[in-house]
Amino acid sequence: MAPPQPRTRMTATQRREQLIVVGRDIFASDGVQGATVEEIATRAGVTKPVVYEHFGGKEGLYAVVVDRAIQDILTAITNALSEPAGIRVLLERAVLALLDFMETSPSSFEVLVRSSPSWHGDGSAASLMSAIAVRVEELFEATFESHGFDPTPAPVYAQTLIGSIALTGVWWIHHEDRPDKEFVAAHIINLMWNGLHDLQKNPVLPSRVAPPTPAD
């Protein structure tokens, strides 16, 4: 019988990466409030002082997990928009980049969603959406100006675009019989592109417009 092989000791960098992955999965399932240093340490096969040594506690680990998720998705969006193309192609790339991230990194996306239930709060999810929307906003401004539109409302359209994709993604990754990614992307783009194609220069709310006063 061969003697048991000695366990390979992780380097500090390897241990840190392991704790990030373990923490990410626990934060995704339990939320930062429900997670504990003890659970993180147990699942990683270390003692609690090791977690404190690397991150100072669960809050420090959580901050690293969130920051990494934000950087990953921003990189994906930046890469998707880096090559020149028409506005529809850029829209398709942006939608698919977000859906790709949700599909390949569901735990990271779940952490961002759980961290901020409201898209308008100060949590990381709101910060993420705003950072992405700023990039899209620049595209909208250029497009509006080229078509003779006032670019002032571009931030509204950018926030609407990114927010709707993100919220649709939440539904998509939790749907029991979720449709194919390309199917979802095609219908998101269909709705958005047709709306952009027939965009009014000076939209009004008919329900808020006072009816004309009858002539005496």
Side-chain angles (χ1 to χ4, degrees), residues 16-28 40 55 58-72 101 107-112 124:
R16 179 181 174 84
E17 288 301 311
Q18 181 209 24
L19 290 171
I20 291 173
V21 172
V22 170
R24 180 199 65 198
D25 293 343
I26 293 175
F27 293 141
I40 295 168
F55 302 100
K58 75 171 184 178
E59 292 80 7
L61 174 56
Y62 172 75
V64 172
V65 169
V66 168
D67 182 67
R68 179 167 294 188
I70 289 175
Q71 291 305 314
D72 287 346
F101 175 80
S107 293
S108 294
F109 183 65
E110 190 70 35
V111 168
L112 295 173
S124 60

Side-chain angles (χ1 to χ4, degrees), residues 70-71 73-74 77-78 81 98 109 112 116 118-141 154-166:
I70 289 175
Q71 291 305 314
I73 196 170
L74 285 178
I77 288 290
T78 300
L81 303 180
L98 279 167
F109 183 65
L112 295 173
S116 179
S118 171
W119 296 107
H120 305 289
D122 294 326
S124 60
S127 299
L128 168 65
M129 295 301 109
S130 295
I132 297 173
V134 167
R135 300 176 188 272
V136 178
E137 178 184 329
E138 296 171 356
L139 295 173
F140 275 153
E141 287 177 347
V156 177
Y157 289 98
Q159 293 287 345
T160 301
L161 170 67
I162 298 302
S164 62
I165 296 172

Side-chain angles (χ1 to χ4, degrees), residues 93-106:
R93 291 176 183 171
V95 171
L96 285 170
L98 279 167
L99 293 179
D100 282 341
F101 175 80
M102 297 170 196
E103 184 178 52
T104 59
S105 306

Side-chain angles (χ1 to χ4, degrees), residues 23 29-30 52 69 73 88 102 117 122 156 167 173 180 188 196:
S29 61
D30 301 342
Y52 287 110
I73 196 170
R88 172 153 185 157
M102 297 170 196
D122 294 326
V156 177
L167 290 175
I173 64 173
D180 293 335
I188 291 175
L196 290 171

